[in-house]
Each structure stands twice: as structure tokens, then as C-alpha cells.
Amino acid sequence: MAYDKSVLSTLPAKVDTILASGTNRDTILLDICKLLNSTVPVYDWVGFYIADPEVPRELYLGPYVGEATDHTRIPFGKGICGQVAESLQTFVVDDVNAQDNYLSCNMHVKSEIVVPILKDGAFVAQLDIDSHTLAAMDAQDQQVLEAICAKLSPLF
Ligand code: SME
């Protein structure tokens, strides 16, 4: 789906406004999900997975916008999300069906980006975005989303 990618550059300042609202972490994260989902037409599912402080090497699903998913807990190493928890690198997937280590959220998803959130160099959480469009996210999305995630580490 073609859309005006200049909307991406408006996002970091809007995230600053949300962060300045001073509400609790889950409200802030949900507001960011809503912002991304409502601003970018190809961001069909937007959510956060958080490293469980009680269960080593396991993610739990935090705030999200979009269809409910079965994947409410993901072990490190499993799926795109679990791989990012280990690699600490953003993973851009143009075609999820070409991935062996992938956990399907629903059959409409065609591409995905997962961006890690680090605190003092350690993995604490990640932003996961699914799209119903093939290759929906590119280097420009990656750069903007990494800038947003860098702003979020003080929340953890
Ligand atoms: N696709 C992800 C699982 C999370 S759902 O997309 C919300 C993965 O492969 O890790």
C-alpha cells in the first residue's frame, strides 16, 4: 500500500508529548501503539513485548493495538521477537512466509519489524509491528522506530 512516508518524521515529537504526560508506563506504551497504528496506514498491529523480570529469557505481551494474539509469552530465541531479544538488533522482515523461525500472529500478516529497547546496554523490551502489506517497513521506518525506542528505555 503506497502512502506518504513523510508522516514518519512527525512521530518522534508526538512520542515526546506522550512521554511528557507523566502517566504510568502501560498507559504511555498503549498511547504510543495507538499513535503509530493511527498515523501509519501499513502498521496494522503494534505492540510491546517486555522481558519478564520473574522468568528469565521470556517475553510477555504488554500493551498493543490490533487483533488479539495467541503469543502472549515468547521464549528468547523463538520467532522474530525471541530472536531480537537475543541479537539486540532490529529485525526487518519483508516476507514473514519466507522465515523459518516465525510465530504467526494471524494469516493476514505479511511483513514485520521488531525493534529492541535497551537499558544500560541490556535488553528490556521490544516494539513489534505487523503489516498486512509485503515489505511494508524499510530503512526509514527502522530509523524512526529506533529513535522512538531509544526514548523509551527510561520507562524500564
Ligand atoms: N510474529 C512474531 C510473534 C508476535 S505476533 O506477530 C504479535 C514472532 O515471530 O515473533
Side-chain angles (χ1 to χ4, degrees), residues 45 47 49 59 61 64 67-72 74 78-83 96 99 101-106 109 112 114 126 128-130:
W45 189 97
Y49 281 95
L59 300 163
L61 179 60
Y64 71 94
E67 277 187 51
T69 173
D70 288 341
H71 303 297
T72 56
I74 299 177
K78 277 211 80 178
I80 308 302
C81 293
Q83 292 178 74
V96 295
Q99 292 289 321
N101 190 359
Y102 168 70
L103 301 169
S104 176
C105 190
N106 69 66
V109 176
E112 178 165 9
V114 180
Q126 60 190 199
D128 179 15
I129 300 177
D130 289 341

Side-chain angles (χ1 to χ4, degrees), residues 104-127:
S104 176
C105 190
N106 69 66
M107 58 186 268
H108 306 295
V109 176
K110 296 204 169 72
S111 62
E112 178 165 9
I113 184 169
V114 180
V115 182
I117 300 171
L118 307 181
K119 189 181 180 78
D120 303 325
F123 174 82
V124 287
Q126 60 190 199
L127 171 63

